[in-house]
Amino acid sequence: MPQFRLSEAAELLGVSDDTVRRWVRGGQLTATTDGAGRKVVDGAELAAFAREQAARPHDPSGVGRSARNRFVGLVTDVVVDKVMAQVELQCGPFRVVSLMSAEAVRELGLKPGALAVAVVKATTVVVETPGGQS
């Protein structure tokens, strides 16, 4: 079973080490001691905790759709040529880049600072593990 040091858990959750220590002291997370005497959190418990803590930003589009991967964020860059455009969004800690027609960019009013929702509908998702672990 994978285990994560408190500092690793903090990095994965996007919070400070102190926040993870508070969660452990408060009983929201359970820490044990590994063979080297370091405090660690069980990977499965950390994953469940991450899912519970995830706060999805409000989707301003108000549209129902089958795609489950929606990322609300701010447009940070738009590069437009005559026919095509590249639009970059910052969605929390994630950078999402979309290629679309220049016409779509104009119609949607996409420019840096605009609120937008990136919707990803994919039939293939590649999952990797560090160091080829299985």
Side-chain angles (χ1 to χ4, degrees):
M1 189 67 68
Q3 295 180 324
F4 296 93
R5 294 190 327 259
L6 298 189
S7 60
E8 293 171 325
E11 185 176 342
L12 289 167
L13 296 173
V15 298
S16 71
D17 296 7
D18 288 337
T19 297
V20 173
R21 285 189 208 95
R22 275 194 301 277
W23 286 335
V24 169
R25 281 193 305 270
Q28 290 112 314
L29 276 172
T30 305
T32 58
T33 306
D34 68 6
R38 300 173 296 199
K39 295 260 187 195
V40 293
V41 177
D42 173 74
E45 180 181 350
L46 186 62
F49 183 78
R51 177 177 273 179
E52 291 169 9
Q53 295 299 309
R56 185 173 288 184
H58 171 70
D59 183 341
S61 68
V63 174
R65 58 182 66 90
S66 64
R68 295 289 166 243
N69 301 309
R70 294 188 287 261
F71 302 96
V72 178
L74 293 172
V75 175
T76 56
D77 193 29
V78 179
V79 178
V80 183
D81 68 16
K82 192 170 184 175
V83 177
M84 293 299 294
Q86 177 180 307
V87 178
E88 182 178 312
L89 290 88
Q90 191 66 40
C91 304
F94 303 105
R95 176 178 168 258
V96 179
V97 178
S98 177
L99 302 176
M100 64 183 71
S101 69
E103 179 182 19
V105 167
R106 286 188 299 276
E107 287 177 0
L108 294 170
L110 296 175
K111 58 187 174 193
L115 179 65
V117 180
V119 180
V120 180
K121 180 81 174 187
T123 57
T124 303
V125 175
V126 176
V127 177
E128 301 173 335
T129 59
Q133 300 171 359
S134 53

